[in-house]
Amino acid sequence: MKIRPIQIALFILFVLGGLFGLMFLSEKGGIQKEQVQDDGFSYEGISLKYPSYTTFLELEKDSSLTRQDVLEVTQIVTPVDIETEENQEEVKKEEPLTQLPDFSKIDTTKITRIKYPPENPEFANELREKLASRSCRIIHYGDSQIEGDRITAYLRNRLQHMYGGNGPGFLPVLPIYRQISAVIEPSDNWQRYALFDPTKKKFSNRKYGAYMSVSRFTPYQKVVPDSTTVDSLPIIKATVTIGKSKDTYQKFRRFTTIGLHYGNANFPIKVSVYNDDKLIQQDSLQADGKYHNYKIRTSTTPKNLKIELEGKVSADFYGLTLDSSSGVQIDNVAMRGASGTIFTKSNAATYSRMMRQLRPKIVIMQYGGNTMPYLKDSTDVTNYTKRIESQIKWIRRRTKNTSFIFIGPTDMCLPVNGKMETYPLLPYLNSQLTKTCLDNNVAYWSMFDAMGGKGAMKLWVDEKLTAKDYMHFTWKGTKIISELFFTALYLDLKEPDNTNNDA
């Protein structure tokens, strides 16, 4: 039997018509899978994803946001760039006003403002006083959004220009990711242990310090070896070399106060400090098992500082701090994969002792993104915010007169019907985090709202301001979101009578 072309065409049209007709039978959001509601059919536990006619014909908009809306958000502010020229002797001092936002060019009504606890109307004034004091350390805890000193570095540079201060603050002895703020080169025998790292066995003593991670030049042992065993061990030598980075802000290229933070030293460890191969300090670390800060001071920024350690059993080294003697210091403490709920699992005594030494006046916490994919309903959101509340209270009990600021998660997307859409529970999570923070005397800044709200992430990706993982900012996007936060903060830090240009 000969099949004519008209028959083939009719058959194709019949099949296509049938497939199109099924779209009218497909149920909108018919397949429920945690936060995902795909179109399709479900029957007795069997699900088939299939677009509905409204999805296929794009009759419903996922978000009211447009590209122009996001461009307006990202063009409100003008971020500052890293200085590319470095004066070898002394960086020229710039007038403070050149480093401040120009409100004649900014529509401040479009800035997402920081929300402050209604029960503490003096919160912003307290921040101003602390930042303007002789020395103000800020610890910025966060997830992978701040990895590599992203966001923190930008804020640090801005505040150091306003209030003084130099140096990049905290850096681990063994960095596991690239960071721009200083050059740290450890010897090959260092190992890193972090409370938030699921791939590493946790210390039974939970002594991870204020920075939640430890570097060691001999492996961690649950049981401290006795003196007989130690006598038979060889002496191990480990080094870490510190230098200024040419790829960072000029303010970070100057530091004269170096701290080597350590604890759990139970056996002798010799420390020798060299600058350009010249010995400038030599001591023994305190072998009493407690937390200590071994201080190194130089008259000028060291060009090639090497710390050499010799011992049979390593102490726990919590990290380095590279600071100036006054002004603002901000520590970047990035925890990849963390949701901000691990602090209470740390050894309270060690954390407290280290915090008493660091004396942070402000703590910034930036979490929420990593927990978003695992939230199934509003009850999960409530449970998460309660855990965040307990973490804040735990830290607050171990600090003195410390102000807390919480930065909420970005907009985040997941695939729904072949398109990237905002997680359905994300707006609710953002609102509940806001309420939890304000109820606990914590200021809150909504990064979700600052980006533009629901549906913004896809547009930020289109503009190459966030990566294609629909989560992390590119360097350009990092500068924009950081400047948006800084501008919101600066609006509240200005002296009360300096409001002429405020919209």
Side-chain angles (χ1 to χ4, degrees), residues 72-85:
E72 288 180 4
V73 168
T74 59
Q75 291 170 1
I76 295 172
V77 293
T78 303
V80 297
D81 292 319
I82 289 177
E83 303 92 338
T84 56
E85 294 183 5

Side-chain angles (χ1 to χ4, degrees), residues 337-361:
S339 296
T341 58
I342 59 140
F343 296 95
T344 55
K345 299 176 183 177
S346 178
N347 181 279
T350 300
Y351 186 92
S352 299
R353 188 178 177 95
M354 192 166 176
M355 279 300 216
R356 285 197 298 271
Q357 174 71 227
L358 293 171
R359 296 192 298 275
K361 294 182 178 179

Side-chain angles (χ1 to χ4, degrees), residues 101-108 491 494 497-503:
D102 183 358
F103 287 113
S104 67
K105 300 178 181 179
I106 297 174
D107 183 356
T108 56
L491 283 167
K494 291 193 306 175
D497 59 344
N498 184 20
T499 57
N500 294 334
N501 293 326
D502 193 0

Side-chain angles (χ1 to χ4, degrees), residues 271-433:
V271 55
S272 304
V273 183
Y274 301 85
N275 189 19
D276 276 344
D277 296 325
K278 180 181 178 181
L279 181 67
I280 60 172
Q281 277 184 223
Q282 194 169 64
D283 294 287
S284 293
L285 299 183
Q286 296 189 51
D288 59 3
K290 297 179 181 179
Y291 159 78
H292 297 283
N293 178 18
Y294 179 72
K295 296 179 181 180
I296 304 167
R297 288 190 173 89
T298 59
S299 57
T300 59
T301 301
K303 296 179 180 179
N304 185 33
L305 189 80
K306 183 172 76 171
I307 302 174
E308 185 179 272
L309 300 159
E310 295 179 82
K312 296 185 175 184
V313 180
S314 177
D316 294 339
F317 292 92
Y318 304 119
L320 298 152
T321 46
L322 312 180
D323 300 318
S324 58
S325 59
S326 62
V328 173
Q329 301 94 35
I330 307 185
D331 299 327
N332 171 277
V333 187
M335 308 179 196
R336 180 179 295 185
S339 296
T341 58
I342 59 140
F343 296 95
T344 55
K345 299 176 183 177
S346 178
N347 181 279
T350 300
Y351 186 92
S352 299
R353 188 178 177 95
M354 192 166 176
M355 279 300 216
R356 285 197 298 271
Q357 174 71 227
L358 293 171
R359 296 192 298 275
K361 294 182 178 179
I362 301 170
V363 168
I364 302 174
M365 301 178 72
Q366 185 173 337
Y367 294 104
N370 285 319
T371 198
M372 193 65 247
Y374 304 101
L375 301 176
K376 298 178 182 179
D377 51 36
S378 60
T379 301
D380 283 352
V381 172
T382 299
N383 291 337
Y384 174 68
T385 55
K386 286 181 178 178
R387 293 178 70 190
I388 288 295
E389 179 180 0
S390 68
Q391 306 300 310
I392 292 170
K393 289 180 177 179
W394 188 90
I395 297 173
R396 181 172 276 149
R397 286 196 296 270
R398 286 153 185 86
T399 57
K400 185 179 179 180
N401 191 30
T402 302
S403 300
F404 285 75
I405 302 173
F406 198 100
I407 299 177
T410 64
D411 184 31
M412 293 175 62
C413 295
L414 76 170
V416 179
N417 296 319
K419 298 180 181 180
M420 301 304 290
E421 296 183 10
T422 295
Y423 276 87
L425 285 172
L426 182 50
Y428 183 65
L429 172 64
N430 188 56
S431 66
Q432 290 304 106
L433 280 172

Side-chain angles (χ1 to χ4, degrees), residues 196-237:
F196 52 88
D197 186 350
T199 67
K200 292 286 187 179
K201 188 176 180 180
K202 303 298 181 288
F203 289 0
S204 57
N205 58 28
R206 302 280 171 165
K207 294 181 179 180
Y208 290 89
Y211 298 135
M212 297 291 131
S213 65
V214 163
S215 298
R216 292 179 58 90
F217 59 81
T218 64
Y220 166 74
Q221 293 178 294
K222 184 176 181 179
V223 179
V224 178
D226 57 34
S227 57
T228 304
T229 303
V230 171
D231 288 342
S232 64
L233 295 175
I235 294 176
I236 304 296
K237 181 184 292 186

